[in-house]
Amino acid sequence: MTWEYCIVEWLWDAGNIRCTLPAGGGFQKPGSYAELVDVLTDLGHDGWEVASCAAGGNWLFWTLKRQA
């Protein structure tokens, strides 16, 4: 089984969401809790699942994976 990975980073006090997808894809946008839920839901619809999460201060960072 082969996996591909993406990352989602949220600076909650700055209201900034950044998603980096394989092959240089991704996006950056403003966002609070509701927008973050939408991003994670959309990624889930595309087959991504959270593999890990890290947090510190004003920052949350998820690694997601899906079968390639």
Side-chain angles (χ1 to χ4, degrees):
M1 183 176 299
T2 303
W3 298 98
E4 60 182 348
Y5 296 88
C6 79
I7 56 173
V8 175
E9 180 180 32
W10 183 39
L11 298 172
W12 58 266
D13 64 343
N16 187 43
I17 300 169
R18 181 172 59 179
C19 179
T20 304
L21 297 163
F27 56 87
Q28 186 169 339
K29 66 184 221 171
S32 64
Y33 290 101
E35 289 84 13
L36 178 64
V37 168
D38 290 342
V39 167
L40 293 172
T41 298
D42 290 344
L43 289 167
H45 287 300
D46 290 337
W48 294 100
E49 61 182 63
V50 172
S52 68
C53 180
N58 67 338
W59 173 82
L60 288 136
F61 185 92
W62 293 266
T63 302
L64 293 88
K65 69 179 184 176
R66 72 176 176 186
Q67 190 171 352

